[in-house]
Amino acid sequence: DIVMTQSHKFMSTSVGDRVSITCKASQDVSTAVAWYQQKPGQSPKLLIYSASYRYTGVPDRFTGSGSGTDFTFTISSVQAEDLAVYYCQQHYSTPFTFGSGTKLEIK
Amino acid sequence: QVQLKQSGPGLVQPSQSLSITCTVSGFSLTSYGVHWVRQSPGKGLEWLGVIWSGGSTDYNAAFISRLSISKDNSKSQVFFKMNSLQANDTAIYYCARGDSLLDWGQGTTLTVSS
């Protein structure tokens, strides 16, 4: 199985800051990576698919980049409502696998 | 708009089975696969399996012996069944549309306990 590694379990940031979350795949997954946001008590919500494509209705402060094994998710100007856990996931091959999540904390 | 609505029990006894129905609207099951994912405190998000638009299935090898996914295209329903449940199957179970998990159901919170 492909292992997706998010090296930071927690990240602390302030409103207006730029923050980036990284995700590393254990093997080449091309650009088949998605990023999800999960707020407490809610289902995960797709933000980015195929590494860099923003899903419908997602604000443009959210961006994704990368290919192969290294991927980055960036919030260009953090808002208070961005408090959440962010997960990467590879959809290159089954079993699809997720990173362990990065909890974004707002100072 | 796209919706996935899940129905199923919240409490199951050990060794029993779990059945969840995911009723979809706003898209056709002949156009999108439906994936199943669970979330438990100990193991995070875990992909369980998928029924593809054509009707074939793929399962996580860890669950292949006790998991079954089927669907009824005409009723826009996907059926999830997992057998031989144990306490460590306690989790929230989700259905989701498409390979990038574009949209998710509200989740079914399952507790396995006697």
Side-chain angles (χ1 to χ4, degrees):
Chain A
D1 298 0
I2 298 173
V3 177
M4 303 297 285
T5 301
Q6 291 179 244
S7 52
H8 292 95
K9 278 195 170 304
F10 302 94
M11 294 188 75
S12 184
T13 186
S14 300
V15 172
D17 281 358
R18 178 186 181 93
V19 66
S20 291
I21 298 170
T22 58
C23 179
K24 189 172 185 69
S26 60
Q27 63 189 73
D28 189 341
V29 295
S30 184
T31 57
V33 166
W35 290 91
Y36 303 89
Q37 176 192 66
Q38 187 175 32
K39 296 182 178 180
Q42 296 184 15
S43 304
K45 174 185 166 185
L46 176 67
L47 299 179
I48 302 290
Y49 66 96
S50 296
S52 61
Y53 293 87
R54 208 175 292 117
Y55 189 41
T56 305
V58 174
D60 61 7
R61 68 178 182 274
F62 297 106
T63 58
S65 64
S67 66
T69 60
D70 294 293
F71 300 88
T72 302
F73 170 80
T74 299
I75 308 175
S76 61
S77 178
V78 171
Q79 303 302 301
E81 63 263 30
D82 299 336
L83 167 72
V85 181
Y86 294 86
Y87 296 93
C88 61
Q89 177 235 351
Q90 64 82 17
H91 49 94
Y92 182 77
S93 65
T94 59
F96 291 176
T97 46
F98 294 86
S100 56
T102 298
K103 185 173 183 179
L104 191 63
E105 300 173 328
I106 313 294
K107 293 176 188 171
Chain B
Q1 79 273 26
V2 171
Q3 286 190 318
L4 298 92
K5 291 186 178 179
Q6 300 177 221
S7 60
L11 178 64
V12 171
Q13 294 191 336
S15 79
Q16 290 191 333
S17 61
L18 168 67
S19 293
I20 303 173
T21 299
C22 178
T23 303
V24 309
S25 57
F27 70 97
S28 172
L29 292 177
T30 60
S31 296
Y32 289 90
V34 171
H35 296 252
W36 291 87
V37 174
R38 75 179 186 181
Q39 185 170 32
S40 56
K43 296 196 78 173
L45 289 166
E46 188 170 28
W47 182 85
L48 301 174
V50 58
I51 186 160
W52 302 106
S53 57
S56 62
T57 52
D58 277 322
Y59 300 115
N60 187 319
F63 302 95
I64 196 167
S65 63
R66 59 189 185 108
L67 180 57
S68 173
I69 303 172
S70 59
K71 65 174 178 173
D72 184 330
N73 291 333
S74 66
K75 293 184 178 179
S76 296
Q77 292 181 320
V78 179
F79 309 105
F80 174 94
K81 185 173 184 179
M82 183 180 285
N83 300 320
S84 306
L85 293 170
Q86 300 301 321
N88 60 5
D89 292 314
T90 293
I92 303 173
Y93 288 76
Y94 297 99
C95 58
R97 175 178 75 113
D99 288 358
S100 300
L101 308 182
L102 302 166
D103 304 281
W104 294 59
Q106 82 276 20
T108 298
T109 300
L110 172 71
T111 301
V112 181
S113 175
S114 54

